[in-house]
Amino acid sequence: MVHAEGDERAEFDLVVRSRRVVTPEGEGPLAVAVRAGRIAALRPHDAPPPARETVDLGEVALLPGLVDTHVHVNEPGRTHWEGFASATRAAAAGGVTTIVDMPLNALPPTVSVAALEVKRKAAEGQCHVDVGFWGGAIPGNSGELEPLHRAGVFGVKCFLSPSGVDEFPALDRAGLREALRVLAEFDGLMIVHAEDPAVLTDPLGPTYPDFLASRTEEAERRAVEQVIELAAETGARAHIVHVSSASCLEPLRTARRDGVRISAETCPHYLTLTAEEVSGPAYKCCPPIREAANRDALWEGLADGVLMGVVSDHSPSTPDLKVPDFAAAWGGISSLQLGLSAVWTSASARGHGLSAVTRWMAEGPAALVGLPYKGAIRPGADADLVAFDPEAGFTVDAAALHHRNPVSPYHGRALTGVVVRTWLRGRPADLVTPHGRFLTREGIG
């Protein structure tokens, strides 16, 4: 990587050149010019404009900063699991420049405007990337949904099965219908953890097959079908988080064809890991990692657009909660720093290029939450940029990650693709000086 100091009187603050710049139009040689934190122009690679600083990446690719709309930061209340400083350092190190924080696992959960303000206060001054927030829908708080919307959350999340924490109970069918009806009045977005509690069972033993049998594909599919039915009935927007079962793809495909306002995401662990290789509770998550044939079908759903994106569902905990077995361990995977490399490793082996990966991990999530100035290298967008070497490799060392606790199912795994450098609104994310901002549906909060 070559740095060149430019003319202090130059029109642009920064120019980043690469022979592999990924834009919505494809991949090619360009010079990306930045002014006042925004992308001001795209110029020919071999004719870069003068700037105060020029960075020449050569063959290292330049991607838009990723947008991860599914992150459990857990602060305040469970900051020993994860906090804003550690989570956003991990994000920046992994090429993620925008996260949207989930409403549960922090104390208090984000189920009211007052709780949202507590969380924003806890995060203030700690964030190395830009941060937005989801609200929560739980029994009895339907009157809080519009105030949360006005306060700038990107939507609200609910569970249809137990969430794992008592302070964030699940909605039953009537509660889901009521919440969707309220959201439809102001075009709010509901995001849903979709597993049918009537189908779930307690694990019959401590092994992974026992755990997998307790959370079947049928439980996931039946819950997705219920969300589709009620979204169609109310006219509300709904989004299914962390799809693990390929059995959900056909009902989602049919619903979208029929005009239901439904979308869905998946996660790196469902695309890159398989039940056949699970070796310990670090792999436990809900819904679970399924078999290799299911993983292959998820890739097909991603390629044909039934799944609109890939986000981490970064759900960390302390190491003592990830033992002793699959019946007792916390269900969550820490992967915020590793998502880009994990997905690229598998995507490239399947013939997908960097344009597809950035569409799934940057453009799609940005569109979900209505951030037109994030997720793409285009004039007018925030200058959130990632220098990514797609040919370099590394072996994951969980202890070397920026996540607060060194637990990862990727530990010891060889991955391809290394984040070399990250810029947030044209400034280097140095992992020392936080300069992230709070985001709302209307812009910067």
Side-chain angles (χ1 to χ4, degrees), residues 59-147:
E59 297 296 329
V60 170
L62 186 67
L63 314 182
L66 304 190
V67 177
D68 192 336
T69 55
H70 197 142
V71 179
H72 294 267
V73 176
N74 305 338
E75 185 177 4
R78 293 188 174 97
T79 310
H80 54 298
W81 291 18
E82 188 71 280
F84 283 99
S86 53
T88 57
R89 273 196 297 268
V96 177
T97 52
T98 299
I99 67 169
V100 185
D101 174 62
M102 283 290 164
L104 70 157
N105 298 346
L107 295 170
T110 315
V111 295
S112 67
V113 173
L116 174 63
E117 291 308 314
V118 170
K119 181 168 283 192
R120 284 176 169 161
K121 184 175 181 180
E124 190 171 356
Q126 295 200 74
C127 300
H128 295 269
V129 301
D130 287 352
V131 176
F133 301 92
W134 295 107
I138 62 173
N141 86 323
S142 60
E144 297 284 351
L145 303 186
E146 187 172 6

Side-chain angles (χ1 to χ4, degrees), residues 216-303:
T216 63
E217 293 190 65
E218 181 189 5
E220 198 171 349
R221 187 190 69 252
R222 282 179 45 167
V224 167
E225 289 170 345
Q226 178 182 166
V227 176
I228 290 170
E229 177 187 349
L230 294 179
E233 175 187 320
T234 61
R237 290 189 296 146
H239 176 78
I240 307 299
V241 297
H242 52 47
V243 171
S244 81
S245 170
S247 72
C248 300
L249 297 177
E250 191 51 42
L252 287 165
R253 183 181 289 110
T254 300
R256 290 172 61 84
R257 185 186 63 216
D258 293 344
V260 181
R261 304 173 76 196
I262 189 83
S263 57
E265 68 192 35
T266 191
C267 304
H269 39 281
Y270 302 130
L271 296 170
T272 63
L273 307 176
T274 66
E276 292 88 343
E277 67 188 292
V278 167
S279 59
Y283 288 78
K284 182 180 177 180
C285 57
C286 301
I289 295 164
R290 305 190 189 278
E291 295 82 1
N294 178 83
R295 176 195 61 184
D296 295 343
L298 289 177
W299 276 103
E300 293 174 9
L302 192 60

Side-chain angles (χ1 to χ4, degrees), residues 3-40:
H3 298 263
E5 294 303 319
D7 187 342
E8 288 296 324
R9 298 166 296 176
E11 180 182 3
F12 299 108
D13 302 320
L14 171 70
V15 167
V16 184
R17 304 169 68 207
S18 168
R19 297 192 177 279
R20 302 185 66 179
V21 177
V22 179
T23 72
E25 287 70 44
E27 178 183 331
L30 284 172
V32 179
V34 176
R35 184 193 306 119
R38 294 286 180 98
I39 297 171

Side-chain angles (χ1 to χ4, degrees), residues 48 73 83 109 112 154 172 180 197 232 242 249 295 310 321 324 329-330 340 352 357 367 380 388 412:
V73 176
S112 67
F154 288 97
D172 61 14
L180 288 171
H242 52 47
L249 297 177
R295 176 195 61 184
V310 182
L321 296 180
W330 172 260
L340 175 57
H352 300 292
V357 171
F388 181 69

Side-chain angles (χ1 to χ4, degrees), residues 70 72 102-105 135-139 156-165 168-173 175-176 190-197 200 215 223 226-227 241-242 286-287 313 315 330-331:
H70 197 142
H72 294 267
M102 283 290 164
L104 70 157
N105 298 346
I138 62 173
V156 295
K157 181 181 187 179
C158 74
F159 277 69
L160 303 187
S161 57
S163 70
V165 290
F168 202 95
L171 294 181
D172 61 14
R173 181 183 179 87
L176 177 61
M190 173 69 85
I191 64 172
V192 185
H193 179 122
E195 290 181 287
D196 186 341
L200 300 179
R215 306 187 87 101
Q226 178 182 166
V227 176
V241 297
H242 52 47
C286 301
D313 188 11
S315 185
W330 172 260

